[in-house]
Amino acid sequence: MYNLTIVFDEDGNTAALAFLDSTNITENVVVRATGMPSAEDDMLLTSVSIDLVPQVCAGDPVTVFGYLVDILCWELENHIAVDGADLLNSPEDHTVHCMRDIQACRDSGFGILVRQADGTFDLEYAFDDVGNAAALALIDETGLVANVTVTVTAELTGELVTTNNVAELTSVSIRLHETISHTGFLVDILCWEL
């Protein structure tokens, strides 16, 4: 059971909205709110700053859809891959040749890029050694040239890795997708489940 312990003044609400707009985390968002208690109400914080408190729970299951990427290319300046692909905006252009045949890319490990609310992509998860082996097996066998879309099913290791401090996955299973298209009605889950 959770209780409301503090509320923010207008500036604190603005800081909270700015934080939410800046993060790609959509569940279990734990934050540290720092501020001064109001003289009128000890539940009201003023001069608020908000920082993310990473919550990575080992063993938590994860299923995610996105683009396979090597870590070396992702960490290059402006996320422009060795093959010239703009991974932030067009990860579908990242080639299998780059991930498979360039030894530094192959050796750097792999992860999955996921579309963010603003339409760009971000490294959502990185793989452990077992996951990296699964990624290598996939790219070694595929006939694709680029556009390596996958569904990854895995568990969180409890570690934050790479220079971005993304969550690491273990027990990774990767399923390759061909690009698909579906036409239908868009509905929000709340209305669907009523």
Side-chain angles (χ1 to χ4, degrees):
M1 177 101 182
Y2 296 98
N3 295 312
L4 182 65
T5 57
I6 60 170
V7 293
F8 303 148
D9 65 1
E10 187 174 327
D11 290 337
N13 287 333
T14 300
L17 289 171
F19 168 80
L20 291 170
D21 287 342
S22 71
T23 185
N24 60 1
I25 300 172
T26 58
E27 296 177 358
N28 301 319
V29 180
V30 178
V31 298
R32 180 180 302 107
T34 306
M36 301 295 298
S38 165
E40 297 85 34
D41 183 350
D42 61 351
M43 277 186 64
L44 179 65
L45 275 187
T46 63
S47 303
V48 174
S49 67
I50 299 175
D51 300 302
L52 179 66
V53 177
Q55 297 293 304
V56 179
C57 299
D60 281 356
V62 170
T63 299
V64 62
F65 173 83
Y67 291 91
L68 188 66
V69 66
D70 62 276
I71 301 302
L72 180 123
C73 283
W74 176 252
E75 291 185 339
L76 290 174
E77 186 174 349
N78 297 320
H79 308 296
I80 303 298
V82 171
D83 62 5
D86 178 352
L87 299 175
L88 191 64
N89 296 295
S90 302
E92 67 274 10
D93 296 338
H94 195 207
T95 63
V96 171
H97 164 71
C98 184
M99 293 185 278
R100 180 187 60 215
D101 301 330
I102 298 173
Q103 197 62 46
C105 295
R106 187 178 177 89
D107 293 344
S108 69
F110 294 88
I112 188 162
L113 298 178
V114 175
R115 183 182 299 276
Q116 305 302 300
D118 65 0
T120 63
F121 291 82
D122 199 4
L123 182 65
E124 196 81 9
Y125 298 103
F127 305 155
D128 69 354
D129 290 342
V130 174
N132 290 331
L136 285 170
L138 182 137
I139 63 171
D140 284 343
E141 294 173 7
T142 187
L144 290 174
V145 172
N147 197 26
V148 184
T149 56
V150 294
T151 295
V152 173
T153 305
E155 292 180 0
L156 291 166
T157 65
E159 300 295 323
L160 296 176
V161 296
T162 78
T163 58
N164 297 344
N165 285 326
V166 298
E168 182 183 56
L169 297 179
T170 190
S171 303
V172 173
S173 168
I174 304 174
R175 190 177 80 217
L176 182 66
H177 293 274
E178 298 295 330
T179 302
I180 61 168
S181 174
H182 182 76
T183 303
F185 293 102
L186 183 64
V187 62
D188 65 273
I189 299 300
L190 178 65
C191 290
W192 180 256
E193 291 179 349
L194 288 178

